[in-house]
Amino acid sequence: MDLNKLAEALIPDENVKPLDYYEAAYPERDLPKGAQVTRLAPSPTGFMHIGNLYVALANERIAHQSGGVFYLRIEDTDDKRKVEGAVEVIHTSLKYFGVAFDEGADLCGNYGPYYQRQRAEIYHAYAKELIKKGLAYPCFCTEEELEKTREYQTENKLLPGYYGEFAKCRNLTEEEIYANLAAKKPYVIRLKSQGDVEVKHTFHDEVKGDITVTENNQDVVILKSDGIPTYHFAHAIDDHFMRTTLVIRGEEWLSSLPIHIELFKVLGFRLPKYGHNCSIQKIDGDTRRKLSKRKDPEASLTFYREQGYHPTAVRTYMMTLLNSNFEEWLLKCPDKPLEEFKYSIGKMGKSGALFDIVKLNDISKSFMATMSETEAYDFLKTWADEFGTEEQKAYFADKEYLLKVLTLCMGIGGKKRRKDFVCAKQALEMIAYFFNATFAPEYEYRFENSVVKTVLEGFKAAYDHADDCSAWFDKVKSVAAANGFATDMKAYKADPTAYPGNVSDVAEMLRIATTGLANTPDLWTIMQILGKNETMARLEKAIAAL
Ligand code: GLU
């Protein structure tokens, strides 16, 4: 059979150039020894999973630590999954977490185009080459025929796929092929696999260590009927011509590794190093399962932005998932930038990385407790501008006021910083009572209304906004005493039944009346921040509600 003629008949693409053109157009990169070229290669589905950040961080760290290049390639061969604006989502969501690409889609770079749909010519050139060498062939099987084969294989407990006796089009004659073409039957191009499933090799996976891989024997599709390549074929060509040295990708690709090894081999390309990282899992009842896009809001990167997690906190948490020795380093060097941690691919988890939102929240709280009030103001404002309610946006109108609130609520200047703020959304909800528009108290006292009423009235009558903290507290005590509450804690502890309660119960009533909450930072300071009129108004409102 004239294979050159067949290649022309099957892939009539005028743009295709001789292969050495591509080798010259995308030369080896001029990088220092040991520099790694890595990439993120997502499909533009518009959804960014936390696993994308995990993989992106690993690839970014490896590239940048080694003086290499980290680029973005858009794998848009599956048109059905494509969503408008998805590439922008990829850039913005990753940039938020400090992951920036050196080159790639929507950026500059000499190894593009970085959208696979714009690279048809290169894929066609190499598919043609394989046909010419007798290593690929057209397949005219219909969906129904393939389905029948699948059913037969399932019934007979045979390995699924297009191989051996099931590869019906593998040995079509020249006449049959041209007759099918003349009849305008649609066709795909398949690899003519040279592998044997009986043969196994040891393969060094950068994350998992030495693993055994079975040779591929599947005649996988390399070009679909519309001439668009499959992921397998496209990634091999792209990683070669973009001069990728290391592919860190999700372990769901591990089962395709034999196909990829064969494809690199038949294409005559050097195989990059591969590392398959484990999926991110969570504990769900008694089981451990993958974080699911459908069930778990925290699976989406958008979640962290919408909640207003500080990017450094998320990044720090991701590093704890990525490298087992990171936390130890963090304890030793809490003030160093994360970039100084020597990330190592060998220390990535080999099984599942367990996602624990409680731990993320702890890291976030500790991180937010390192911020100054102005840093917190700026961070919260940026969040509120994008995600906040109209009332929350208005919190930022009086900067001086809000800075006082933040100073108090973050414990700045106190003995110990408070660690109450987890993320922007929760922080702004926490300080809502400082603002009239969002002050919506549900007064829940632990004492009879009549008792609360005399306490509030007594305090209101005695209140002097000019009192310092200790004069203020003396007044709380005298209101307590006037209502029979203990002011001497020793006496109270000796015989608690002798009193309705003690001074802290009285302070709690005042706190609930002023803020609607039983737990807040220092009440005297809160009243100072609210100002005389507002404090009075709140006491009156609380009395009226009794
Ligand atoms: N497009 C593939 C995905 O989204 C990329 C896998 C790879 O990194 O090679 O999963």
Side-chain angles (χ1 to χ4, degrees):
M1 193 176 333
D2 182 343
L3 294 176
N4 285 335
K5 185 177 141 216
L6 179 65
E8 294 306 327
L10 292 172
I11 307 174
D13 183 338
E14 292 157 8
N15 297 321
V16 164
K17 301 179 187 60
L19 301 189
D20 48 7
Y21 165 86
Y22 301 108
E23 287 293 344
Y26 303 111
E28 290 281 357
R29 292 170 185 264
D30 185 15
L31 291 170
K33 199 165 172 284
Q36 303 289 340
V37 179
T38 66
R39 80 314 190 264
L40 190 73
S43 303
T45 60
F47 182 82
M48 286 298 275
H49 193 280
I50 183 99
N52 291 120
L53 176 62
Y54 183 79
V55 170
L57 260 175
N59 279 301
E60 185 270 344
R61 285 291 75 217
I62 296 287
H64 290 155
Q65 267 178 204
S66 64
V69 175
F70 174 51
Y71 71 87
L72 174 67
R73 180 171 74 228
I74 299 301
E75 306 215 318
D76 54 357
T77 55
D78 186 354
D79 219 15
K80 287 195 279 306
R81 299 179 66 205
K82 195 169 153 196
V83 164
E84 275 320 306
V87 178
E88 204 187 320
V89 171
I90 295 169
H91 278 294
T92 47
S93 51
L94 290 176
K95 208 184 256 167
Y96 181 74
F97 297 106
V99 179
F101 298 96
D102 303 304
E103 62 179 55
D106 296 3
L107 299 168
C108 53
N110 296 328
Y111 288 82
Y114 296 93
Y115 285 82
Q116 287 184 326
R117 285 214 161 228
Q118 294 169 20
R119 300 171 63 78
E121 165 197 338
I122 314 179
Y123 308 130
H124 291 170
Y126 278 86
K128 271 183 150 169
E129 180 66 9
L130 294 186
I131 295 167
K132 287 180 195 169
K133 286 185 171 158
L135 292 168
Y137 64 89
C139 167
F140 299 90
C141 286
T142 61
E143 213 20 74
E144 293 72 50
E145 284 169 310
L146 295 175
E147 184 52 41
K148 262 202 195 128
T149 306
R150 267 195 289 273
E151 276 166 19
Y152 177 85
Q153 288 167 336
T154 318
E155 270 164 32
N156 293 282
K157 298 197 169 48
L158 294 166
L159 276 181
Y162 204 86
Y163 63 93
E165 60 183 294
F166 303 110
K168 299 212 181 77
C169 295
R170 189 172 163 122
N171 297 313
L172 291 183
T173 63
E174 192 168 6
E175 291 69 35
E176 285 168 324
I177 292 176
Y178 283 104
N180 282 335
L181 290 179
K184 301 229 171 318
K185 282 199 185 168
Y187 57 90
V188 299
I189 306 294
R190 288 186 183 270
L191 168 73
K192 194 176 236 175
S193 173
Q194 308 297 305
D196 176 353
V197 275
E198 297 303 322
V199 182
K200 300 190 189 314
H201 301 277
T202 302
F203 180 86
H204 184 74
D205 184 282
E206 298 297 315
V207 176
K208 301 204 179 288
D210 282 348
I211 54 172
T212 303
V213 292
T214 304
E215 271 190 9
N216 171 58
N217 72 338
Q218 298 277 340
D219 286 359
V220 289
V221 176
I222 58 173
L223 288 188
K224 297 182 260 185
S225 55
D226 53 4
I228 301 290
T230 54
Y231 162 73
H232 304 306
F233 191 56
H235 106 281
I237 290 179
D238 294 344
D239 279 329
H240 175 70
F241 284 113
M242 295 178 183
R243 305 295 173 180
T244 312
T245 60
L246 169 65
V247 173
I248 301 179
R249 63 181 178 184
E251 66 184 352
E252 65 274 21
W253 294 110
L254 199 53
S255 56
S256 308
L257 186 62
I259 298 171
H260 301 161
I261 294 174
E262 183 170 15
L263 280 172
F264 272 89
K265 192 167 159 201
V266 295
L267 287 164
F269 300 155
R270 190 171 65 233
L271 192 69
K273 287 181 279 176
Y274 281 94
H276 293 86
N277 68 257
C278 48
S279 56
I280 301 190
Q281 305 180 335
K282 77 182 266 183
I283 302 270
D284 186 1
D286 296 338
T287 51
R288 213 176 140 130
R289 61 163 176 81
K290 263 197 199 174
L291 263 193
S292 132
K293 167 177 168 180
R294 217 166 24 85
K295 290 192 220 151
D296 308 308
E298 72 272 28
S300 160
L301 277 191
T302 320
F303 170 82
Y304 303 91
R305 293 193 58 200
E306 284 173 358
Q307 295 292 314
Y309 279 93
H310 194 282
T312 306
V314 177
R315 202 178 148 105
T316 306
Y317 177 62
M318 291 310 284
M319 290 306 293
T320 69
L321 284 185
L322 274 166
N323 255 192
S324 50
N325 55 334
F326 174 73
E327 282 189 85
E328 204 183 306
W329 175 86
L330 191 63
L331 279 175
K332 273 197 226 130
C333 321
D335 301 321
K336 286 212 175 137
L338 298 182
E339 289 65 37
E340 285 190 23
F341 170 71
K342 181 100 185 65
Y343 173 73
S344 131
I345 188 168
K347 293 222 160 49
M348 285 177 81
K350 292 188 185 8
S351 44
L354 195 59
F355 184 85
D356 178 2
I357 195 132
V358 176
K359 187 158 174 188
L360 167 63
N361 288 347
D362 283 345
I363 289 177
S364 286
K365 283 181 188 172
S366 298
F367 178 77
M368 291 196 79
T370 65
M371 293 173 110
S372 70
E373 66 275 32
T374 42
E375 280 167 344
Y377 177 94
D378 292 341
F379 171 64
L380 295 174
K381 183 169 187 323
T382 308
W383 180 84
D385 284 345
E386 195 172 354
F387 299 105
T389 60
E390 285 314 307
E391 284 112 343
Q392 286 172 335
K393 286 185 183 130
Y395 293 178
F396 298 86
D398 185 346
K399 183 167 181 177
E400 207 187 317
Y401 182 81
L402 184 50
L403 287 178
K404 280 192 216 158
V405 172
L406 294 176
T407 303
L408 172 68
C409 294
M410 297 171 78
I412 296 172
K415 276 200 211 83
K416 230 171 116 196
R417 289 287 302 256
R418 297 180 71 96
K419 291 190 176 177
D420 296 341
F421 288 176
V422 178
C423 55
K425 185 165 189 266
Q426 169 263 6
L428 292 184
E429 280 162 10
M430 242 185 154
I431 62 170
Y433 65 85
F434 280 98
F435 304 89
N436 263 341
T438 47
F439 175 57
E442 281 176 31
Y443 307 108
E444 278 179 31
Y445 303 101
R446 291 186 292 113
F447 291 86
E448 297 275 328
N449 279 1
S450 55
V451 177
V452 178
K453 194 163 184 184
T454 48
V455 164
L456 297 188
E457 279 171 347
F459 179 79
K460 186 172 162 278
Y463 186 76
D464 181 348
H465 198 64
D467 283 343
D468 65 9
C469 185
S470 82
W472 176 88
F473 192 55
D474 284 343
K475 285 187 179 157
V476 177
K477 276 206 238 165
S478 48
V479 173
N483 286 279
F485 284 72
T487 51
D488 174 349
M489 287 310 278
K490 253 199 213 139
Y492 176 74
K493 278 196 186 125
D495 187 8
T497 55
Y499 307 90
N502 65 54
V503 68
S504 70
D505 296 314
V506 170
E508 186 188 276
M509 292 177 221
L510 299 173
R511 192 182 302 280
I512 294 173
T514 315
T515 65
L517 303 168
N519 286 306
T520 68
D522 178 60
L523 185 56
W524 174 76
T525 314
I526 292 175
M527 290 182 175
Q528 289 297 309
I529 294 173
L530 288 173
K532 182 178 169 198
N533 294 346
E534 182 61 20
T535 303
M536 284 295 122
R538 290 195 178 191
L539 290 172
E540 272 158 28
K541 182 179 164 118
I543 292 166
L546 286 164

